[in-house]
Amino acid sequence: MKTIKVSVVTPDGPVYESDVEMVSTKAQSGELGILPGHIPMVAPLQIGAVRLKNGGKTDFVAVSGGFLEVRPEQVTILAQSAEQADEIDVERAVRAKQRAEQRMNEQKRENIDFRRAELALQRAINRIEVSERKY
Amino acid sequence: MASLRDIKNRITSTKKTSQITKAMQMVSAAKMNKAEMNARSFVPYMEKIQEVTASIALGSKDVSHPMLTSRPVKKTGYLVITSDRGLAGAYNSNVLRNVYQTIQKRHKSPDEYAIIAIGRVGRDFFRKRNMNVILDIVAVADQPAFAEIKDIASKTVGMFADETFDELYMYYSHYVSAIQQDVTEKKLLPLTDISSSAKLTSYEFEPSAEEILKVLLPQYAESLIYGALLDSKASEHAARMTAMQNATDNAKELINSLSLSYNRARQAAITQEITEIVGGAAALE
C-alpha cells in the first residue's frame, strides 16, 4: 500500500517521524483523515490524538493544538507540545488534571484563568486517554 | 619586599581561585554544547513554521491580520534577553549598553517605551534607572523548555494585540561561534519581513486563511521569542566559558610571577644567612 511521510515537530525537537498509510486527527473544523496523494492543505488542530496507521499497527501521538500541513509527499504536524503514547508521563498528567479541576472550582466562569484551567484540563485528559489508547 | 609568608599565602589563594574558574569553565563548556544542541533541534520546527507562515501571508494577498500590518507607533516595546548571573564577561553589558543607547536616542519620555526583561541582570539594570519594565521573568533554566517561556511569550504577543505597544523589538546576543557572539536587534512585531527561501506552496485552507492566521501568527511570534532565547543561552555559556578561560589563564600567569618572586625572596634570605655566618666566622678568627 502507498505510504506518506509524517513528521510531528515541536520547539523541543522532532517527536515522531515515519512513513504511514493514513493519518487521522481532529482539526478545529472536524475529524480529518489524510491518505497519500492528498492536495496541499493547512488546518489548525484541536487538543487531541493523532492516529498513524501503518500495516496492522496504529501509533498514537498526543498533541496540544498546533497545525497540520499536508503536501503531496509529506505531512507535517507543528505543535507546541506533543508526545508519543508510551512517552507520556501519566502521573504528571493526573496531577495536572486534579490541579486544573481544583482551579476551575475556585474561579468564576468569565475569568481568564478559568479558560486557562479549562485548556489545561483538556490537555491533561487528552494525555491520559492517549496513554491508555482509548481512541 | 613582601615577606615569604605573604607571598606564599597569595600563591595558595590564587591557586584556589584558578581551580574554581577552571571548574566553571568546564561546566560552561558542557552547558554550551547542550545549548547548541537545543538550538539545533529547534531549527526544523522554526523552518517549517516560517515556511507555512510565509506561504499563507505572502501567497494570498487578500488576507489581513493585525499582526501583519504596521500601525502608527505611540509606544514601542523592547524585549531584552540577558542572563541571571554575572561572571560572563561582556555578555550582559554589551546587550544592555546597546538597548540603553537606542532608547536614549529614540525616546524622550518613559511613556514612549516599555521593556520586557528576560533575565535578572537586565531587569535590575532597567529598574535601577527607573525605566518602564512592564514584564519580567527571572531564573530561566539553562536548558529552557518551551513550556517555561510560553507564558511570557504569549503575554508579550497579547500586549501587541491589545495595543499596549505598537511595535516590538527584540535584543539578544546571537551565537556565532564559541568565541564570537553578536548583539542582535530584531523587529518582531508587526511581522513585516516574512520571507521564505523555499518555494511557496499554495494550500487549501481548512476552514479559512483568516482563521488559520489567527492561530498561526501568535504561535509563530512565540517561536521567534523562544528561538532567540535558545540562541542567547548558547551565547551566554560561550561568553562565560571564554571569561573563565581568561580568568584561569590570568591566574596561572599571576602564580608564575608570584612563584618567581617567592623563589627570589627565599634565595635572598639564604644568601643573607650565609653572609651572616661567614661574617661571624671571620670575626672569630
Side-chain angles (χ1 to χ4, degrees), chain B residues 53-125:
Chain B
T53 313
S55 294
I56 300 174
L58 306 175
S60 30
K61 279 277 161 273
D62 51 335
V63 293
S64 69
H65 187 275
M67 281 170 76
L68 289 173
T69 41
S70 346
R71 52 184 188 234
V73 178
K74 290 194 279 296
K75 200 164 183 172
T76 310
Y78 292 92
L79 180 83
V80 185
I81 304 177
T82 55
S83 68
D84 278 338
R85 275 165 296 160
L87 291 183
Y91 170 75
N92 288 312
S93 51
N94 279 345
V95 174
L96 292 175
R97 189 177 52 231
N98 199 319
V99 181
Y100 187 70
Q101 283 171 354
T102 316
I103 290 179
Q104 296 295 335
K105 211 165 21 179
R106 283 190 200 158
H107 307 292
K108 288 187 187 67
S109 87
D111 302 331
E112 289 174 18
Y113 62 86
I115 295 168
I116 296 155
I118 299 181
R120 185 171 286 122
V121 174
R123 183 194 67 179
D124 294 349
F125 177 90

Side-chain angles (χ1 to χ4, degrees), chain A residues 73-92:
Chain A
E73 74 290 358
Q74 197 187 11
V75 175
T76 313
I77 293 168
L78 291 169
Q80 297 199 326
S81 73
E83 292 104 13
Q84 284 199 55
D86 42 2
E87 279 168 10
I88 293 173
D89 186 342
V90 183
E91 265 174 47
R92 194 179 144 207

Side-chain angles (χ1 to χ4, degrees), chain A residues 12 40 42 69 71 80, chain B residues 48 51 150 203-204 219 226:
Chain A
D12 297 322
V42 181
E69 188 220 16
R71 293 170 171 246
Q80 297 199 326
Chain B
K48 207 69 213 175
E51 201 182 306
K150 170 109 181 48
Y203 293 105
E204 284 283 303
Q219 198 174 328
Y226 182 63

Side-chain angles (χ1 to χ4, degrees), chain A residues 9-14 27-29 32 39-44 65-67 69-71 74 76 78-81 116, chain B residues 41-42 44-45 48-49 51-52 56 144-146 150-151 199 201-207 212 215-216 219 222 226:
Chain A
V9 200
T10 69
D12 297 322
Q28 275 177 4
S29 47
L32 261 182
I39 50 163
M41 184 187 78
V42 181
F67 283 87
E69 188 220 16
V70 184
R71 293 170 171 246
Q74 197 187 11
T76 313
L78 291 169
Q80 297 199 326
S81 73
R116 276 163 77 179
Chain B
S41 68
F42 175 68
Y45 178 81
K48 207 69 213 175
I49 198 164
E51 201 182 306
V52 177
I56 300 174
F146 184 74
K150 170 109 181 48
D151 200 35
K199 196 165 69 71
T201 323
S202 57
Y203 293 105
E204 284 283 303
F205 300 113
E206 183 67 39
I212 289 171
V215 193
L216 178 64
Q219 198 174 328
E222 283 166 22
Y226 182 63

Side-chain angles (χ1 to χ4, degrees), chain A residues 16-83:
Chain A
Y16 183 92
E17 249 166 289
S18 173
D19 290 308
V20 302
E21 286 163 6
M22 178 170 156
V23 186
S24 45
T25 182
K26 228 192 246 167
Q28 275 177 4
S29 47
E31 195 80 18
L32 261 182
I34 314 281
L35 291 167
H38 201 283
I39 50 163
M41 184 187 78
V42 181
L45 298 179
Q46 286 184 30
I47 295 171
V50 179
R51 276 155 293 158
L52 305 133
K53 278 192 201 131
N54 196 10
K57 194 163 105 320
T58 309
D59 290 327
F60 289 84
V61 179
V63 295
S64 308
F67 283 87
L68 174 79
E69 188 220 16
V70 184
R71 293 170 171 246
E73 74 290 358
Q74 197 187 11
V75 175
T76 313
I77 293 168
L78 291 169
Q80 297 199 326
S81 73
E83 292 104 13

